[in-house]
Amino acid sequence: MRTSLSASTLIMKAMPAEEWTTAEHVDRYLSRADQCPRRAEGESVLLEHVPRDARRVLDLGTGDGRLLGLLETDHREMLAVGLDASELMLEAARERFAGDERIEVVEHDFAEPLPALGRFDAVVSSMAIHHLEHERKHSLYGEVFDLLEPGGVFANFEHVASPTRRLHLAFFAAIDEPLEHEDPSDRLLDVESQLRWLRELGFDDVDCYWKWLEMALIVGVKPTTDG
Ligand SMILES: C[S@@+](CC[C@H](N)C(=O)[O-])C[C@H]1O[C@@H](n2cnc3c(N)ncnc32)[C@H](O)[C@@H]1O
């Protein structure tokens, strides 16, 4: 049986991504990011799907720039923009990429329409878009389609919803996180809905390319005009 939400939970739920403004939450996430089982496996599949010659890459919810750091290693031509709303995360990303002119770090709350950043060969994201309300996830996917070059790739390594409460609990047990540490701004959505949305928006080759419990890699390609 579902328990009702307490008043304090409701207040927290009304403030998307608020937890990323506290040093405690950010530090805890960053200190545990490498320990998440199977994460490196999913990330490595994402890296395979970003073309080696991708020049402009946008990372939505870049955090401390983890994903761009991984991409930078074998995507030598890459000029990337890492976007995030959290001052603390942006500070960590700026520190990671200090002196690296290939990476630009931009402050933006992607609950709002994306700023004019030009076109991209790839848009990537890791564990970030699930913080948005479903309606905004959908419109953001549309904006991603619009700012991709023809043939460009959208690769979203995401925290997705389990089909049942039991599997949700099993995921938290598997990653050794108590359920109390679930992010208050999580708005988990199942893989199937997200795949359908991407197809409806016009993406090609849409599929879930990797999945383990609540971690999934969702990829779509913007068609080229010549098919
Ligand atoms: C779980 S962390 C993931 C960070 C990084 N992508 C990684 O893989 O380690 C989620 C990130 O999404 C960012 N985020 C959440 N909601 C956001 C929003 N509305 N606009 C921009 N960034 C947001 C947070 O600030 C945080 O850096």
Side-chain angles (χ1 to χ4, degrees), residues 104-119:
E104 185 187 350
V105 174
V106 171
E107 181 174 0
H108 180 74
D109 177 353
F110 55 45
E112 302 298 324
L114 294 175
L117 295 166
R119 304 289 286 270

Side-chain angles (χ1 to χ4, degrees), residues 200-215:
E200 288 168 358
L201 285 162
F203 283 96
D204 229 345
D205 294 339
V206 173
D207 208 348
C208 177
Y209 285 64
W210 180 92
K211 186 170 185 297
W212 177 71
L213 302 176
E214 292 191 358
M215 296 197 297

Side-chain angles (χ1 to χ4, degrees), residues 50-58 67-81 97 100-103 121-122 124:
V50 177
R52 285 289 164 94
D53 59 356
R55 234 181 122 61
R56 295 205 75 226
V57 177
L58 172 65
L67 202 49
L68 293 181
L70 293 172
L71 277 164
E72 221 185 0
T73 316
D74 54 6
H75 291 73
R76 305 255 166 223
E77 303 298 311
M78 181 179 90
L79 295 173
V81 178
F97 299 121
D100 184 344
E101 291 185 354
R102 294 191 296 160
I103 314 280
D121 302 304
V124 297

Side-chain angles (χ1 to χ4, degrees), residues 25-64:
H25 192 84
V26 167
D27 291 347
R28 187 169 192 283
Y29 170 77
L30 292 178
S31 68
R32 293 175 58 93
D34 280 335
Q35 292 162 29
C36 184
R38 312 285 293 272
R39 180 178 187 149
E41 192 182 306
E43 288 170 336
S44 72
V45 182
L46 181 149
L47 300 185
E48 286 167 18
H49 286 279
V50 177
R52 285 289 164 94
D53 59 356
R55 234 181 122 61
R56 295 205 75 226
V57 177
L58 172 65
D59 182 13
L60 297 171
T62 196
D64 72 337

Side-chain angles (χ1 to χ4, degrees), residues 98 129 137 141 220:
I129 295 173
K137 287 185 186 77
Y141 288 171

Side-chain angles (χ1 to χ4, degrees), residues 17 20 29-30 33 39 43 59-64 66-67 83-86 89 108-111 125-128 130-132 183:
W20 300 103
Y29 170 77
L30 292 178
R39 180 178 187 149
E43 288 170 336
D59 182 13
L60 297 171
T62 196
D64 72 337
R66 176 187 175 90
L67 202 49
L83 185 147
D84 206 285
S86 159
M89 283 297 200
H108 180 74
D109 177 353
F110 55 45
S125 187
S126 163
M127 303 289 155
H130 68 275
H131 292 294
L132 294 173
D183 285 347

